[in-house]
Amino acid sequence: PMVARGGARAGTAVTFWQIRWLPLLLALTAVAVAAEQQVPLVLWSSDRDLWAPAADTHEGHVTSDLQLSTYLDPALELGPRNVLLFLQDKLSIEDFTAYGGVFGNKQDSAFSNLENALALAPSSLVLPAVDWYAVSTLTTYLQEKLGASPLHVDLATLRELKLNASLPALLLIRLPYTTSSGLMGSREVLTGNDEVIGQVLSTLKSEDVPYTAALTAVRPSRVARDAAMVSGGLGRQLLEKTTETDVPHPPVSYNDTAPRILLWAQNFSVAYKDQWEDLTSLTFGAQELNLTGSFWNNSAAGLTLTYEQLFGTRVTFKFILANRFYPVSARHWFTMERLEIHSNGSVTYFNASQVTGPSIYSFHCQYVSSLTKNGNLLVPQIQPSLWQMTLQDFQIQAFNVTGEHFSYASDCAGFFSPGIWMGLLTSLFMLFIFTYGLHMILSLKTMDRFDDHKGPAISLTQIV
């Protein structure tokens, strides 16, 4: 069920039978690898003897999809029928190095619950580097092996489920990953994910349910450096200043007599039946990108991207845009009318009307995605949809294009950001306190009667 791809990639598997598994992971991170798309995979189970030490383990190799299936088959056939898949948005082996509490400082670790689970698990397996393609097919592979559809759960729904040891169940728990470059931001998110893992395992333990768990990610959080770039040894590399050599890929450009439509994204990923594919390298900078079917005129434009072998078939993406004049603003505005996905004779439509801006500008947004966590700017007409799409750092321009460069960008971010709203609310609250205090001061009244020592004394009648 998991087809191996060509290339000089092999597998690495390390079985951990002792508590102190993290130092070996940290040692493996010191090896520079040439593969860019690889993520770690951590497996553990409440049953014994599900995995044996791999015979072909050596540093620097990447576990392929075929080798991953050889590790998973015994666990799925002989182990518990309840499988937990903790799927994080991004994760790399470097995250364990940065936030794993090295040199015995376990109190600083962001993975305390994970470490404890591996230490107490009768069977465990850690794959430091797994081919990203193999992980992208993992959900489908587990579904076929177990004969159960993946069930997206959280802590609330997990407590309501009644799991049976004899009936197969595939529980999918999605975990976020911060996009912040700050150290504390990433540590806090990873610590929160680790707490979720601990609470899920605690719930299963309280119900005495046998299970097999896996932790991996959709894509790596960091890009591994090419081993060919390392010169003078690793020790010299650690002392040298790293230089940025990555050049942003060029935008997709549709031309007739001149450039008419420009499209760019830092990452372009699509999913069909929860199986994700990264189309970034196949779209931007690709010499043989198929733009057949694209069109342009002053009032409408369409950019068509066709991929011959995507999810085993021919898939076409159509970005349909319109340009209209609005008397209220006395200017032309463009709008992405819809996004169409053509596959196997069927068409899936996404409403993208929020992708809009003045025609003299381009449109930019951090995420144009069908996922709710990323803003949900792409809304499928039929829900739930088998297709999902995410374009990160998205920018498009279909009118008034000059050369191969975007015009000034109209960003999707609203004027009132959360920080501005918090500042306004705090200011209004402080103004209310100041106004109330000023009103209390102005309400004070001075005495209008005073005691005169030359006249009769003021007498106050006591009322009993």
Side-chain angles (χ1 to χ4, degrees), residues 46-295:
S46 58
D47 278 12
R48 295 183 176 274
D49 302 329
L50 293 184
W51 297 285
D56 58 346
T57 58
H58 53 96
E59 297 177 349
H61 280 22
V62 181
T63 303
S64 65
D65 47 2
L66 183 60
Q67 292 166 336
L68 180 59
S69 64
T70 61
Y71 299 139
L72 295 177
D73 285 344
L76 298 178
E77 294 173 359
L78 305 176
R81 304 295 290 170
N82 294 311
V83 177
L84 301 174
L85 179 57
F86 297 96
L87 191 60
Q88 192 161 288
D89 290 343
K90 295 181 180 180
L91 184 66
S92 293
I93 197 66
E94 289 83 3
D95 290 317
F96 293 100
T97 306
Y99 313 113
V102 295
F103 304 115
N105 299 323
K106 296 301 181 181
Q107 66 276 11
D108 296 333
S109 176
F111 306 96
S112 57
N113 290 296
L114 178 61
E115 294 177 17
N116 186 59
L118 290 176
L120 300 178
S123 299
S124 62
L125 178 68
V126 177
L127 305 176
V130 179
D131 186 9
W132 173 81
Y133 174 79
V135 174
S136 66
T137 61
L138 182 58
T139 304
T140 304
Y141 172 77
L142 294 175
Q143 180 179 351
E144 293 177 356
K145 279 291 184 180
L146 295 173
S149 300
L151 181 60
H152 296 260
V153 298
D154 52 20
L155 291 176
T157 57
L158 182 63
R159 295 188 180 97
E160 298 177 358
L161 290 177
K162 299 299 181 182
L163 299 177
N164 192 327
S166 60
L167 296 178
L170 176 56
L171 307 182
L172 181 60
I173 299 98
R174 296 299 297 262
L175 303 174
Y177 186 86
T178 180
T179 58
S180 172
S181 58
L183 178 64
M184 293 306 297
S186 300
R187 179 185 295 277
E188 291 174 355
V189 172
L190 292 174
T191 302
N193 293 344
D194 184 71
E195 292 177 356
V196 172
I197 294 176
Q199 294 176 14
V200 170
L201 298 181
S202 177
T203 302
L204 294 180
K205 184 178 180 180
S206 63
E207 298 178 359
D208 196 21
V209 177
Y211 67 89
T212 296
L215 170 65
T216 187
V218 177
R219 58 178 59 88
S221 60
R222 295 172 174 83
V223 177
R225 295 186 61 186
D226 194 337
M229 298 174 58
V230 181
S231 59
L234 183 61
R236 180 175 179 82
Q237 174 197 354
L238 295 176
L239 298 176
E240 292 176 347
K241 182 180 180 180
T242 304
T243 58
E244 294 290 338
T245 59
D246 294 335
V247 179
H249 44 251
V252 173
S253 176
Y254 168 68
N255 308 315
D256 46 18
T257 58
R260 299 298 187 184
I261 306 175
L262 298 178
L263 171 69
W264 191 87
Q266 181 180 344
N267 181 272
F268 179 20
S269 299
V270 297
Y272 179 70
K273 294 182 178 179
D274 293 329
Q275 178 182 348
W276 284 90
E277 287 287 348
D278 189 350
L279 303 181
T280 307
S281 59
L282 300 178
T283 305
F284 304 101
Q287 299 295 328
E288 299 180 357
L289 180 62
N290 189 351
L291 300 178
T292 304
S294 301
F295 66 92

Side-chain angles (χ1 to χ4, degrees), residues 447-459:
M447 295 179 59
D448 56 356
R449 298 182 63 186
F450 299 92
D451 188 12
D452 186 2
H453 65 280
K454 296 181 178 181
I458 298 176
S459 61

